[in-house]
Amino acid sequence: MAKMRYVILQQQQELQFVEMPADYAYQLSALNLRLNKEISKLTALEIPTLPLAIAECDTLDLLQEQYSIQNGLHYINELEQSFSSIDEKSYPIISLLTEIRALQAQLEQWYEEEFE
């Protein structure tokens, strides 16, 4: 069984728990922090809101029913969709999309190899 880590994200009072292969959890956290830093520079009318990575951990036991653990590939796919739909004219959005898609490709390959 593959070693997994959990990235904990917060948006206002809401928490999200994203399960990532251990070797990629830091990349998701770093990507999230970069996106949060750069999102204020976007000039498009509709910009997605992002949670902020607040922690990582090796094990996670959820004790409240309202929370669930989200698959990392599913999370990154949703993130890519939300950023690819931005109609940005001024900021080089392609650089952010390139970073998102790079992690997306790594995760797709990881899951293919893990579940072959």
Side-chain angles (χ1 to χ4, degrees), residues 30-72:
L31 174 63
N32 175 272
L33 295 174
R34 174 158 158 62
L35 293 175
N36 271 287
K37 180 181 172 186
E38 298 297 320
I39 202 162
S40 65
K41 298 175 185 175
L42 299 178
T43 61
L45 294 178
E46 293 192 30
I47 299 170
T49 57
L50 285 176
L52 181 64
I54 58 169
E56 286 183 30
C57 56
D58 288 327
T59 61
L60 181 66
D61 293 322
L62 295 177
L63 304 176
Q64 299 294 317
E65 287 182 12
Q66 77 261 30
Y67 295 114
S68 61
I69 297 172
Q70 188 173 12
N71 174 280

Side-chain angles (χ1 to χ4, degrees), residues 6-17 28-29 32-33 36 51-57:
Y6 301 89
V7 178
I8 302 169
L9 306 166
Q10 181 178 17
Q11 188 166 2
Q12 280 107 23
Q13 299 303 316
E14 289 293 315
L15 296 175
Q16 289 179 272
F17 304 92
L28 177 60
S29 295
N32 175 272
L33 295 174
N36 271 287
L52 181 64
I54 58 169
E56 286 183 30
C57 56

Side-chain angles (χ1 to χ4, degrees), residues 31 34-35 80 83 92-106:
L31 174 63
R34 174 158 158 62
L35 293 175
E80 191 277 336
F83 271 78
I93 188 85
I94 195 71
S95 65
L96 299 179
L97 274 169
T98 299
E99 290 183 45
I100 293 168
R101 289 173 178 158
L103 181 54
Q104 185 180 37
Q106 290 174 332

